[in-house]
């Protein structure tokens, strides 16, 4: 798709070489798009965008060397608000959608769970639409699913995954220690796990919660 005869200049940020090659192929074959650069690390994305040669960034959220694509996206949007950014991930981390919106990303694409293909999201984004999934993918956790957990339970679960003790979780979330214990009791009851360690290992291994991000 051409935008008034103008080729949309695209920057790809993706740490997986296989996925990066696939995305580069989509950009190259789509028509209407021109690949400016392709990176595995988000750290240099802002520099490339500063020269005015980028219209659209396809930004992986978790990039090489643990660099956050969302942090990079926020910096890009601060200095170049007209550049459109599509956040991409294969990880079902429940907070990514809200974090991408907070960083100013125009759209969001799940590589493995997405309802739409990447080119469709690219075209719609360049036409001024904000394309976001309604919710993160549903992941099984013990006897239940991630969508059966309340937002506050997910907050407590993230604190557990970060290694905080009950009293620290209480301070961090502004809750009483008894309320924290109540939420943890509910989490264990819903999932069927006997300990918080089993629960944390499961949600982290399934990438529902990524402590580093």
């Amino acid at each position: 798709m051409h935008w008034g005869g103008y080729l949309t200049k695209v920057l790809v940020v993706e740490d997986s070489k296989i996925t990066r090659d696939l995305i580069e192929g989509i950009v190259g074959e789509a028509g209407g798009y021109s690949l400016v650069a392709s990176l595995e690390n988000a750290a240099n994305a802002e520099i490339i965008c500063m020269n005015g040669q980028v219209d659209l960034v396809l930004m992986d959220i978790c990039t090489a060397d643990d660099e956050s694509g969302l942090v990079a996206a926020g910096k890009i949007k601060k200095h170049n608000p007209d550049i459109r950014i599509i956040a991409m991930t294969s990880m079902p981390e429940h907070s990514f959608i809200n974090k991408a919106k907070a960083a100013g990303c125009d759209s969001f694409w799940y590589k493995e769970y997405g309802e739409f293909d990447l080119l469709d999201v690219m075209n719609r984004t360049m036409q001024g639409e904000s394309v976001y999934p309604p919710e993160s993918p549903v992941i099984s956790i013990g006897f239940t699913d991630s969508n059966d957990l309340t937002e506050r339970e997910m907050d407590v679960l993230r604190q557990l995954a970060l290694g905080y003790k009950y009293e620290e979780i209480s301070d961090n979330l502004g809750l009483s220690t008894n309320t924290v214990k109540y939420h943890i009791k509910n989490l264990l009851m819903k999932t069927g796990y006997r300990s918080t360690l089993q629960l944390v290992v499961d949600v982290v291994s399934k990438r529902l919660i990524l402590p580093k991000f």
Side-chain angles (χ1 to χ4, degrees), residues 129-183:
E129 186 176 350
S130 182
V131 185
Y132 270 84
E135 58 186 15
S136 57
V138 176
I139 304 299
S140 63
I141 309 171
F143 296 148
T144 191
D145 294 324
S146 55
N147 62 352
D148 191 43
L149 304 183
T150 67
E151 194 64 35
R152 182 55 82 186
E153 287 170 348
M154 291 299 298
D155 290 340
V156 171
L157 187 51
R158 172 171 290 280
Q159 293 288 304
L160 287 171
L162 287 168
Y164 291 116
K165 307 300 183 184
Y166 289 10
E167 293 77 10
E168 293 172 316
I169 295 174
S170 173
D171 291 339
N172 292 341
L173 297 181
L175 303 173
S176 70
T177 302
N178 284 338
T179 299
V180 171
K181 291 179 179 179
Y182 170 78
H183 286 307

Side-chain angles (χ1 to χ4, degrees), residues 36-57:
V36 171
S38 188
L39 309 173
E40 64 174 11
N41 187 312
N44 294 323
E46 183 184 8
I47 297 174
I48 293 177
C49 289
M50 291 291 283
N51 63 18
Q53 297 300 309
V54 176
D55 302 305
L56 173 65
V57 182

